Amino acid sequence: GGGAPVNLAEWDNIDPGSQPAEFNPTRAQGLHLPEDFVAENELSFFSLFITEEVVGSLVKFTNAYAWLHILTTTSHAEKDGSWKEVTNQEILNFCALLLYFGLVRVPEVDKYWSTWSLYHGSWAREMLSRQRFRAIRAFFQCSDDVDGEDRLKKVRYLHDAIRDKSLKFWQPGCQVA
């Protein structure tokens, strides 16, 4: 197509506004864990980011959502259709199962509770019953704000909590790309 001719000399000009931003951290590069932190196991690190406060909020969000929708949503609630409030330990177990499911793949979610030794279902059964897992999965919420324009609204609370802890515990170097 015909269009205006391109002046190649313009492409040699360097944009004076594209200078790198100054990087002046207030602390040393690297990991900054609490002084009283003891790394006993992987759960110790998990608990740095998913604190009791975060778990308590997930419990609150999930129970509130369940009570709001239990009558209108097909769920895997109690046999009589009622909701049994989720506890902090159940939310932790639910999260553990989700992490496990991401690491160990099986053809169907129900196979994690299988009694067949190939699937090692006893581990999942010890954490939560299949029915309770389904009930929590049906109503699990990471935020109480489901309105608004924020595209991350359903995970904003959890995102912000993990981001804030990451900023607290890690100081990057100047090469962050």
Side-chain angles (χ1 to χ4, degrees):
V6 176
N7 182 355
L8 295 179
E10 292 178 11
W11 290 88
D12 291 336
N13 294 336
I14 297 176
D15 180 7
S18 63
Q19 299 300 319
E22 281 195 41
F23 183 74
N24 298 316
T26 59
R27 57 189 180 162
Q29 175 182 342
L31 200 55
H32 296 272
L33 297 176
E35 289 183 21
D36 61 345
F37 177 73
V38 178
E40 297 175 5
N41 54 36
E42 295 83 358
L43 186 58
S44 302
F45 284 99
F46 179 82
S47 298
L48 282 173
F49 297 91
I50 308 299
T51 62
E52 288 182 28
E53 178 185 350
V54 170
V55 172
S57 293
L58 296 176
V59 166
K60 181 181 81 170
F61 300 150
T62 300
N63 284 329
Y65 186 81
W67 285 117
L68 190 61
H69 295 283
I70 193 73
L71 298 177
T72 60
T73 304
T74 302
S75 72
H76 301 279
E78 297 296 297
K79 290 179 181 178
D80 64 0
S82 66
W83 174 250
K84 176 185 170 196
E85 292 218 336
V86 70
T87 66
N88 286 28
Q89 188 59 54
E90 286 178 316
I91 287 292
L92 286 171
N93 290 354
F94 179 77
C95 291
L97 286 173
L98 293 178
L99 290 169
Y100 179 72
F101 295 172
L103 297 171
V104 178
R105 302 285 184 173
V106 298
E108 302 167 21
V109 172
D110 284 356
K111 298 286 188 202
Y112 290 108
W113 284 269
S114 173
T115 56
W116 193 28
S117 63
L118 175 66
Y119 295 114
H120 306 288
S122 62
W123 191 81
R125 285 193 308 274
E126 289 175 17
M127 300 293 280
L128 288 172
S129 71
R130 180 174 41 209
Q131 188 67 19
R132 187 62 174 157
F133 175 83
R134 288 176 177 166
I136 295 170
R137 183 179 62 185
F139 294 115
F140 183 71
Q141 293 293 302
C142 296
S143 174
D144 62 352
D145 180 22
V146 293
D147 296 324
E149 297 297 317
D150 185 2
R151 291 171 60 172
L152 291 176
K153 62 188 170 199
K154 290 186 177 184
V155 295
R156 175 62 63 197
Y157 171 80
L158 191 56
H159 168 273
D160 289 351
I162 293 172
R163 185 202 60 218
D164 292 348
K165 291 295 184 177
S166 296
L167 290 171
K168 179 179 179 180
F169 299 136
W170 177 253
Q171 176 60 55
C174 64
Q175 304 296 329
V176 183

